[in-house]
C-alpha cells in the first residue's frame, strides 16, 4: 500500500519509518512524502508509530503519530499528517560551499572566467579543484568528469585552483585568465583567434576521478538539488586583432601538487 505523509521541512533523502523500520520513501515536496508499505505489515489489525526522519547533517526525526491498521479488501492508500520535523539542536549543522561560474569572456586570446563561492561555507585549502573551458563541445558538459579533452571538443582550457587563493570564503570570487598562475598548458589546447559566435562552456570543480562530485562537496550535491557548476553556452566575441600568442605550457611550481586525477 501507499502511505502519504504530510508535514513540513522534509528534505531529499527523508524516510518514513514504520515502528522504527525505514520504508522505501519518495520525497514529493518539502511538505509531502510517500512510502511503500509491505503487505505483510498490514495483514492484521494493530497500532504502529509513524515517523519521518530527515538525513544529516542537520537532520532530525518528527514526533511520532500512532497509525491504526484495520484489515480491508483490495489496494488502499492512506494519508496521515505529521507535525513539524523536530531537529536535534545538538547535531552540528555543516555549512557547505557552492561554486558557480559567474561570467565568461572569450575575445581572441583574451580569456576571462570568474568563479564565485555562493555557498555558506568555505572552499578549504585542501579542496583544490579543476576548471575546464570548452570550445564548441558536442555534447555540452553535464557533470563532473565531463572534461573538454574526453572527445567532446577539439579545443579547451584547463585551470587548477590551489595555493594561496584558498580558502575561498562565502561571497568571494576568483578571476582566471589565459596564462595566469592557475593555467595548465599541458592540459590545454586553444587556438585563440576564434570568430564571433562560437559557443563556450565553463565548468568549475570539473574533474576528480576519485569521486562523483569533484573535489568540493557543495550544497546542491549534498541536498540533491540541480547541478549548477556549468555556465554556457556563451558566445565568443570577435577578436580586436589577429595575432600570435603562446602561453606557457607548464603550470607554476607552487600549483602542481595535490590536484585530483583527471582524464
Amino acid at each position: 500500500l501507499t502511505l502519504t505523509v504530510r508535514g513540513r521541512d522534509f528534505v531529499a533523502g527523508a524516510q518514513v519509518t514504520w515502528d522504527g523500520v525505514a520504508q522505501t520513501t519518495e520525497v514529493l515536496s518539502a511538505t509531502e512524502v510517500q512510502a511503500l508499505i509491505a503487505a505483510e505489515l498490514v495483514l492484521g489489525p494493530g497500532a504502529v508509530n509513524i515517523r519521518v526522519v530527515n538525513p544529516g547533517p542537520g537532520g532530525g526525526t518528527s514526533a511520532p503519530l500512532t497509525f491504526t491498521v484495520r484489515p480491508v479488501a483490495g489496494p488502499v492508500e492512506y494519508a496521515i499528517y505529521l507535525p513539524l520535523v523536530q531537529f536535534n539542536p545538538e547535531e552540528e549543522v555543516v555549512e557547505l560551499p557552492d561554486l558557480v561560474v559567474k561570467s565568461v569572456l572569450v575575445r581572441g586570446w583574451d580569456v576571462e572566467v570568474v568563479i564565485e563561492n555562493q555557498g555558506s561555507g568555505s572552499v578549504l585549502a585542501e579542496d583544490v579543484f579543476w576548471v575546464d573551458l570548452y570550445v564548441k563541445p558536442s555534447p555540452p558538459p553535464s557533470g563532473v568528469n565531463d572534461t573538454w579533452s574526453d572527445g567532446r571538443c577539439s579545443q579547451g582550457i584547463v585551470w587548477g585552483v590551489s595555493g594561496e587563493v584558498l580558502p575561498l570564503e562565502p561571497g568571494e570570487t576568483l578571476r582566471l585568465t589565459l596564462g595566469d598562475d592557475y593555467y595548465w598548458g599541458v592540459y590545454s589546447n586553444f587556438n585563440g583567434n576564434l570568430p564571433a559566435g562560437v559557443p563556450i562552456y565553463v565548468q568549475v570543480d570539473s574533474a576528480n576521478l576519485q569521486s562523483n562530485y569533484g573535489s568540493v562537496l557543495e550544497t546542491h550535491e549534498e541536498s540533491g538539488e540541480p547541478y549548477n557548476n556549468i555556465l554556457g553556452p556563451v558566445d565568443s566575441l570577435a577578436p580586436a586583432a589577429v595575432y600570435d600568442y603562446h602561453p606557457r605550457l607548464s603550470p607554476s611550481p607552487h600549483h602542481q601538487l595535490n590536484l585530483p586525477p583527471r582524464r
Side-chain angles (χ1 to χ4, degrees), residues 89-183:
E90 296 182 357
E91 283 198 55
E92 179 182 1
V93 176
V94 179
E95 303 290 347
L96 295 177
D98 190 16
L99 289 169
V100 296
V101 182
K102 293 294 290 184
S103 64
V104 178
L105 170 68
V106 176
R107 182 188 286 116
W109 290 102
D110 183 14
V111 177
E112 178 186 273
V113 172
V114 178
I115 61 177
E116 180 183 5
N117 177 10
Q118 67 174 15
S120 56
S122 302
V123 179
L124 303 178
E126 60 268 26
D127 294 338
V128 296
F129 58 90
W130 297 106
V131 178
D132 276 50
L133 181 146
Y134 310 74
V135 178
K136 199 177 180 180
S138 179
S142 60
V144 174
N145 294 318
D146 286 352
T147 55
W148 80 263
S149 56
D150 64 4
R152 69 189 61 243
C153 50
S154 60
Q155 293 191 63
I157 301 173
V158 173
W159 293 271
V161 179
S162 61
E164 296 177 357
V165 70
L166 300 179
L168 192 66
E169 302 295 344
E172 288 187 342
T173 60
L174 175 63
R175 177 176 175 265
L176 303 172
T177 59
L178 190 65
D180 65 11
D181 282 345
Y182 309 102
Y183 169 75

Side-chain angles (χ1 to χ4, degrees), residues 107-110 191-196 237-245:
R107 182 188 286 116
W109 290 102
D110 183 14
N191 182 9
N193 298 301
L194 300 176
L237 303 178
V242 177
Y243 59 95
D244 287 330
Y245 170 68

